[in-house]
Amino acid sequence: IACSNTGGVCSNTYASGAEVLLTAAPSVDYDFVGWSGAGSTCTTAPTCRTTLTSAQTVKATFRRKSYSLSVSLNGSGSVVSAPAGINCGSDCSETYVGGTSITLTATAASGYVFSGWSGSEISCPGTGACTVNMNKGRAVVASFSPVATTNYTLQISSSGSGTVTSTPTGINCGSDCNESYASGTSVTLTATPASGYTFSGWNGGGCSGTGGCT
């Protein structure tokens, strides 16, 4: 007997009373589960010793190994897998059948950029998708970096008597006439004249007329 899933010699004739020792050897990424079949008295050991007092059919069962893939996040973002299983933030580990190819895709949260992959025995340079072969347990780290933010100062000056306030808050001029805002922020200014005054208009910052100034 020299039998495999691709063929070989899987049957033989022996003299009555012959004692036959069968040995199961799993392939890479497989575990031996056990023996079964008519006349078999063997269980989960990789060797099966049987005495032939009649014809026997013995089955050896093998099962693919499973390995754990875990993802951790450094910074703010998420990672999903194809095939499905990983959705990290919320679900950051999954067990896959040995030999499965898993593709991980990272998405940065608002205000962050994805800066790359790291982890035990993976090769995923750059910031594209990361494909890992599950022939062993894997641990992957996805790193996200804050986006550099430029701030600009908005300064208000006035003539006559009244106040200017802003949305979002920050300016309340009279008392607070300048504020720093992140680049790209849209700030709306509202002018309110004091008693006995009327608002006569804006100049500077691209604003004119007597309505709101954005």
Side-chain angles (χ1 to χ4, degrees):
I1 299 292
C3 184
S4 72
N5 62 331
T6 57
V9 180
C10 294
S11 65
N12 198 34
T13 300
Y14 299 91
S16 177
E19 185 178 68
V20 179
L21 177 66
L22 301 173
T23 301
S27 300
V28 175
D29 291 331
Y30 280 80
D31 287 319
F32 175 63
V33 176
W35 303 95
S36 60
S40 173
T41 59
C42 301
T43 55
T44 59
T47 55
C48 173
R49 190 181 301 273
T50 183
T51 301
L52 293 174
T53 57
S54 62
Q56 289 189 19
T57 300
V58 178
K59 179 180 180 181
T61 300
F62 302 89
R63 178 179 58 207
R64 294 206 73 155
K65 293 180 179 179
S66 293
Y67 298 103
S68 176
L69 172 62
S70 64
V71 175
S72 56
L73 306 179
N74 182 8
S76 188
S78 61
V79 173
V80 296
S81 67
I86 299 288
N87 188 356
C88 186
S90 57
D91 182 359
C92 296
S93 65
E94 188 69 26
T95 299
Y96 294 97
V97 171
T100 304
S101 182
I102 307 297
T103 299
L104 301 173
T105 303
T107 302
S110 177
Y112 283 77
V113 293
F114 178 56
S115 52
W117 306 97
S118 59
S120 59
E121 299 182 53
I122 67 166
S123 179
C124 293
T127 56
C130 176
T131 299
V132 295
N133 181 27
M134 295 306 298
N135 55 9
K136 64 188 304 181
R138 303 283 187 183
V140 179
V141 179
S143 295
F144 303 88
S145 302
V147 175
T149 301
T150 301
N151 289 345
Y152 295 102
T153 298
L154 174 61
Q155 183 167 339
I156 308 298
S157 60
S158 62
S159 61
S161 187
T163 59
V164 176
T165 57
S166 68
T167 304
T169 59
I171 298 289
N172 189 355
C173 183
S175 58
D176 182 358
C177 295
N178 63 78
E179 186 69 25
S180 179
Y181 296 98
S183 176
T185 303
S186 181
V187 181
T188 298
L189 301 172
T190 301
T192 304
S195 176
Y197 282 77
T198 59
F199 178 55
S200 56
W202 305 97
N203 61 74
C207 294
S208 60
T210 57
C213 168
T214 298

